[in-house]
Amino acid sequence: MLDTKVAELLNTQVNKEFYSAYLYLDFSNYYMDNGLEGFANWYKIQAQEERDHAMLFMQYLQNNGCKVTLDAIDKPDKELKNFADPLHAGYEHEQYVTSLIHTIYEAANDVKDFRTMQFLDWFVKEQGEEETNADGLIKKYDLFGSDPRALYMLDNELGARVYSAPSLVL
Ligand code: FEO
């Protein structure tokens, strides 16, 4: 069995990951409403990845004999007034999620729960990639967003993103 605090944090993370999926669906819908279907596609796939993360946390808890409690998912509350807002909100959100993963890691480390630390290693790496991707989107938008033709091409590029299942299998 897992340490009580570690199990609680992992259970909370299930909700946080589903919230992330919800948040990115909100971003996807915002772009869809504004005719940027490629940006909408990028965030819809990001939402699928977040759902996968939630499922991985649930599966890990269940593999360790822990009961999973699902809580209400908060309403996405980011104010989206222009095309850059979701990009900045997404980057900030990923930095927040990284801090959550690190907090669980610290709790596991405190009780010498090496199994959970090993499980979380994948997420530590994943967060590095997600922060880089989110920051990369901001940089691209800053460079090209003000030119309609370049924005059209960037939207096409983001529209080419396809979903792939997580590389972590439990
Ligand atoms: Fe599940 Fe974007 O971190």
Side-chain angles (χ1 to χ4, degrees), residues 7-170:
E8 277 176 14
L9 288 170
L10 289 166
N11 195 102
T12 300
Q13 194 62 27
V14 174
N15 185 271
K16 299 284 186 185
E17 299 291 345
F18 277 127
Y19 172 76
S20 299
Y22 228 41
L23 181 67
Y24 293 146
L25 279 179
D26 196 47
F27 293 178
S28 178
N29 292 341
Y30 168 78
Y31 285 121
M32 202 58 144
D33 288 345
N34 286 282
L36 287 177
E37 293 183 11
F39 282 74
N41 173 67
W42 199 91
Y43 276 110
K44 191 192 271 184
I45 288 171
Q46 194 60 33
Q48 289 175 290
E49 287 199 359
E50 300 301 349
R51 175 209 58 202
D52 289 339
H53 296 170
M55 302 296 267
L56 285 166
F57 279 103
M58 276 204 314
Q59 188 66 55
Y60 181 75
L61 282 162
Q62 290 170 336
N63 286 357
N64 285 278
C66 296
K67 178 175 156 53
V68 176
T69 305
L70 294 179
D71 208 344
I73 301 167
D74 288 340
K75 181 179 162 67
D77 60 349
K78 308 290 183 195
E79 208 179 346
L80 309 176
K81 291 177 302 198
N82 59 58
F83 295 157
D85 280 348
L87 310 180
H88 288 280
Y91 184 40
E92 279 170 28
H93 184 68
E94 286 305 328
Q95 290 176 309
Y96 167 64
V97 173
T98 297
S99 77
L100 296 174
I101 301 287
H102 289 181
T103 297
I104 310 171
Y105 207 105
E106 281 176 3
N109 188 41
D110 286 346
V111 295
K112 294 189 168 34
D113 179 354
F114 301 115
R115 190 169 24 164
T116 297
M117 288 158 72
Q118 190 185 49
F119 164 69
L120 290 173
D121 280 340
W122 185 87
F123 285 94
V124 172
K125 185 162 173 283
E126 176 77 2
Q127 282 310 122
E129 289 171 11
E130 298 219 328
E131 284 189 34
T132 301
N133 290 341
D135 186 41
L137 280 182
I138 292 171
K139 289 194 171 97
K140 279 186 181 175
Y141 186 81
D142 285 349
L143 279 169
F144 308 121
S146 59
D147 173 14
R149 275 182 298 186
L151 180 62
Y152 179 76
M153 289 173 72
L154 179 56
D155 191 55
N156 275 346
E157 179 189 317
L158 299 181
R161 184 182 185 190
V162 292
Y163 168 76
S164 62
S167 56
L168 178 62
V169 178
L170 296 179

